[in-house]
Amino acid sequence: MTVLNSRKALKPAPGEGTTAARARRRNGTSDGMMRVYQLVLAAVVLGAWELLGRAGIIDEFFFPLPSDILATVWSWISTGYVFPHLWITMQEALLAFAVGTAAGLFLGFLLARVRFLERLFDPFLQMFNALPRVVLAPIFLLWFGLGIWSKVAFGFTLVFFIVFFNTLEGVKNVDRVLVDNARMLGASEKQLLRHVFIPSALTWIFSSLHISVGFAITGAVVGEYLGASAGVGYAIAQAQGVFDTQGVFAGMFILMIVVLIIDLLVNRLERYLLRWRPVQSS
Amino acid sequence: MTLSSAGTPTQYAVELQGCTKQFSTPGGGTYFAVRDIDLKVEPGRFVSIVGPTGSGKSTILNMAAGLLKPSSGTASSFGAPVHGVNRRASYMFQQDALLPWKTVIENVSLGLTMAGVGKAEAHSEAQRWLEKVGLKNFADRYPHQLSGGMRKRTAVAQAWIVNPDILLMDEPFSALDVQTRQIMENELLALWQESGKAVVFITHDLDEAIALSDEVVILGAGPGSTVVGNYEITIPRPRDLLDIRDDPKFVELHREIWGRLKIEVSKTYEAARAEEGEVA
Ligand SMILES: Nc1ncnc2c1ncn2[C@@H]1O[C@H](COP(=O)(O)OP(=O)(O)OP(=O)(O)O)[C@@H](O)[C@H]1O
Ligand SMILES: [Mg+2]
């Protein structure tokens, strides 16, 4: 697993999707046609993989046939085997995400507004952020046991820093004149937070939301993989233990679909909450 | 400054006494933006501040608003020293200051809702103001969906709706085209007339300053600029802004004030040129 440096906050890219869509249209290919091309590309790659596997050119043991992977996925779903695991993983990810986001938002706002605290905490936060998070997994296993809490703690350390640094940047980058204007209109500190700082930081928080949702799930799965009694990571580790590569790929595939669906929902939410943003035409 | 009625001490809406503001520069030195500024604005008066760019006009306004603390000297409003933001003043900023995540009507009603007025009441009041500034059909737009002039008009409504005793306006119309600007100036005078509000209006356009004001204050070239001239504009009201530039009184005042302002403007220009020469 890569441990990104979450300090490097992502600049929000206003109206990214729409711009891309426009550019595509200008290049003469409609969205619908592009979908068709994408499907064709996927079919070609998967088909080649399948054929090469059947022809014995790539080793079926390490790269199981796509058809076998899908069959395994189907059997995991139809027998209901995967759902309890998925449910556990989702619980862990959701808890890690909720607690990590809440803590990141709170501390981000606090430190952005209180300069003294920011200067006080800065080196420590840098130190913890520099720590490759995977090394924490063993100690969390010892502290919190094999149950869900060790994974929640692990996911928390991933989510927290991303949300925290983005919130900090977001609040500190609020346009000075907007704050002054609100103050002149009689805003109290609380009203400033509500009407100016939170909406302004939202763009930053959202740009981190996609990553932090992914990291919450990553944290849960990696934690499970390293030691657990349930969860998709555990299921993958089980399959690996008996050299069942189809099972490993099936677990990966299911996770991928789940993350895609969640990302789609986050996109929806983002588009609704940031509807005031100008759509930039390039 | 004019004498007020029969010797009673005047309560100035805005009073700066010996205000100096210095900023620390990145190089570690100090930069005097303005020095020893005296400014008195009586309630109900329209006072313009004119000066070359960088002469500290915005700085003066920020001190009057309480957004900047003078390094020395005192800023007071209606007899009380300004602590924190001046609650009796509204401020129209030089830059766009509408909250981009709020619609026009939410922006305009913000001052009221934050003061605890119910949302329905605040919105109906805001709708009245939007009608006044000609934006009644744009209540649900976001600021980025408006033209520059519409944003300025929204800002006017936002500032006036809280019924302040003082209006601080920092080059509110300088980004607008000539026609829109004249319309806005007319609207502003109509709103201000008889409202009893004190207006401090910043512009670098002398025509605009003379046409609108009771008094024009000329600021010297920076750094450390100070008030170099103070002119009473005696053109009777109500004024017709469309023809005022042909008024002989206007022409005479313009010649007199421009004679003074020209010196400061060319000083700023020379300084900029000298700096360029040094760099080259
Ligand atoms: N926060 C600051 N830090 C350092 N210098 C500043 C700061 N704010 C203003 N200044 C300096 O003070 C001087 C006056 O600035 P100010 O914004 O008041 O000018 P202005 O008269 O409003 O100019 P303009 O007509 O271009 O708006 C400028 O030289 C500017 O560089
Ligand atoms: Mg200015």
Side-chain angles (χ1 to χ4, degrees):
Chain A
M1 188 198 61
T2 48
V3 178
L4 298 182
N5 184 359
S6 32
R7 166 120 238 191
K8 201 163 167 283
L10 296 169
K11 275 261 165 57
E16 204 178 36
T18 340
T19 320
R22 275 216 196 119
R24 263 204 308 268
R25 252 173 251 125
R26 216 177 355 196
N27 288 342
T29 313
S30 71
D31 286 354
M33 270 324 277
M34 197 41 90
R35 277 280 170 280
V36 174
Y37 291 149
Q38 285 162 346
L39 282 174
V40 170
L41 178 65
V44 167
V45 170
L46 289 176
W49 178 354
E50 179 89 26
L51 286 177
L52 290 173
R54 280 180 193 271
I57 298 173
I58 54 177
D59 190 339
E60 232 183 277
F61 176 74
F62 293 109
F63 300 96
L65 298 178
S67 56
D68 288 341
I69 296 172
L70 282 180
T72 310
V73 169
W74 176 243
S75 85
W76 280 21
I77 290 173
S78 58
T79 59
Y81 164 73
V82 75
F83 291 116
H85 291 304
L86 206 53
W87 171 234
I88 294 283
T89 305
M90 288 300 115
Q91 265 181 315
E92 292 161 354
L94 197 71
L95 280 168
F97 175 76
V99 182
T101 303
L105 286 179
F106 176 75
L107 216 66
F109 275 112
L110 186 70
L111 264 58
R113 297 298 289 149
V114 187
R115 186 87 184 95
F116 172 79
L117 289 180
E118 192 203 347
R119 289 174 54 201
L120 178 69
F121 281 118
D122 187 58
F124 303 110
L125 289 163
Q126 293 291 347
M127 268 164 50
F128 283 118
N129 188 39
L131 186 73
R133 247 42 69 71
V134 210
V135 304
L136 289 174
I139 197 71
F140 283 160
L141 275 178
L142 289 177
W143 286 351
F144 301 111
L146 284 177
I148 67 167
W149 292 108
S150 55
K151 287 82 194 171
V152 173
F154 184 51
F156 171 88
T157 62
L158 292 172
V159 172
F160 168 79
F161 282 98
I162 300 172
V163 176
F164 168 75
F165 283 124
N166 273 288
T167 307
L168 190 65
E169 284 310 309
V171 175
K172 287 201 322 199
N173 279 313
V174 171
D175 196 349
R176 189 73 233 160
V177 75
L178 297 186
V179 180
D180 284 345
N181 191 25
R183 285 176 63 206
M184 288 305 298
L185 290 169
S188 62
E189 189 71 13
K190 215 174 95 191
Q191 286 167 329
L192 272 186
L193 204 62
R194 169 162 163 223
H195 294 293
V196 184
F197 288 113
I198 292 178
S200 172
L202 260 186
T203 51
W204 288 73
I205 293 166
F206 262 105
S207 71
S208 69
L209 202 58
H210 293 276
I211 305 177
S212 51
V213 166
F215 267 18
I217 297 174
T218 307
V221 174
V222 172
E224 289 162 2
Y225 182 78
L226 293 174
S229 49
V232 178
Y234 169 77
I236 292 176
Q238 288 281 298
Q240 185 212 11
V242 295
F243 300 106
D244 171 15
T245 37
Q246 289 176 17
V248 175
F249 273 90
M252 279 168 27
F253 183 81
I254 288 171
L255 275 177
M256 187 176 78
I257 298 297
V258 168
V259 173
L260 271 180
I261 291 170
I262 293 175
D263 214 49
L264 220 65
L265 296 177
V266 172
N267 268 335
R268 278 277 164 81
L269 183 67
E270 177 177 9
R271 214 171 320 145
Y272 173 73
L273 284 176
L274 300 184
R275 63 192 178 285
W276 52 267
R277 254 190 340 185
V279 176
Q280 285 188 345
S281 50
S282 47
Chain B
M1 194 72 225
T2 47
L3 284 174
S4 66
S5 51
T8 49
T10 317
Q11 286 242 315
Y12 293 107
V14 173
E15 186 176 18
L16 300 182
Q17 280 177 310
C19 281
T20 297
K21 183 70 201 178
Q22 65 208 44
F23 293 107
S24 42
T25 56
T30 51
Y31 179 87
F32 283 87
V34 293
R35 206 191 288 267
D36 277 329
I37 298 290
D38 289 307
L39 178 75
K40 294 183 176 63
V41 182
E42 280 176 41
R45 292 260 293 179
F46 198 123
V47 175
S48 286
I49 301 177
V50 186
T53 177
S55 57
K57 303 183 293 294
S58 300
T59 305
I60 291 177
L61 217 56
N62 284 333
M63 291 194 292
L67 293 171
L68 274 182
K69 236 175 94 70
S71 309
S72 64
T74 53
S76 42
S77 180
F78 293 101
V82 176
H83 281 304
V85 297
N86 189 344
R87 301 322 285 266
R88 300 184 70 164
S90 271
Y91 197 145
M92 261 189 81
F93 290 84
Q94 193 170 359
Q95 309 92 318
D96 261 336
L98 297 174
L99 296 176
W101 41 84
K102 288 192 186 292
T103 58
V104 166
I105 194 150
E106 286 168 346
N107 261 297
V108 172
S109 57
L110 187 63
L112 294 181
T113 49
M114 288 197 304
V117 178
K119 192 173 163 185
E121 196 185 328
H123 273 215
S124 74
E125 180 69 10
Q127 193 60 45
R128 277 198 334 112
W129 272 97
L130 286 180
E131 268 162 43
K132 270 194 210 182
V133 297
L135 287 174
K136 69 169 189 237
N137 294 327
F138 295 87
D140 295 324
R141 300 261 192 123
Y142 286 100
H144 78 265
Q145 297 167 321
L146 301 178
S147 73
M150 290 163 144
R151 280 201 285 270
K152 285 296 174 198
R153 280 185 270 166
T154 311
V156 169
Q158 188 184 49
W160 281 77
I161 198 172
V162 292
N163 195 21
D165 297 314
I166 308 162
L167 264 160
L168 308 171
M169 307 179 85
D170 194 350
E171 303 194 22
F173 309 140
S174 59
L176 305 179
D177 64 273
V178 180
Q179 287 83 16
T180 316
R181 186 166 171 169
Q182 220 149 39
I183 296 168
M184 298 283 297
E185 288 168 358
N186 259 324
E187 281 176 13
L188 174 64
L189 275 195
L191 283 174
W192 167 75
Q193 224 118 41
E194 315 296 326
S195 72
K197 297 182 197 305
V199 176
V200 185
F201 189 93
I202 287 180
T203 174
H204 49 226
D205 179 353
L206 186 54
D207 278 24
E208 186 180 42
I210 298 174
L212 296 176
S213 317
D214 296 318
E215 184 185 344
V216 173
V217 175
I218 303 293
L219 219 54
S225 55
T226 186
V227 175
V228 296
N230 223 313
Y231 300 85
E232 197 69 22
I233 309 300
T234 46
I235 304 170
R237 293 186 192 273
R239 297 176 188 168
D240 178 7
L241 292 185
L242 294 178
D243 296 329
I244 199 165
R245 281 160 185 82
D246 302 327
D247 189 308
K249 217 164 197 169
F250 179 95
V251 176
E252 183 193 325
L253 276 164
H254 190 282
R255 187 179 306 125
E256 184 187 350
I257 304 174
W258 175 239
R260 187 71 192 80
L261 183 59
K262 198 165 57 182
I263 303 172
E264 302 303 328
V265 172
S266 49
K267 266 193 220 162
T268 307
Y269 179 65
E270 292 300 327
R273 284 243 309 226
E275 217 164 82
E276 240 169 58
E278 258 168 48
V279 173

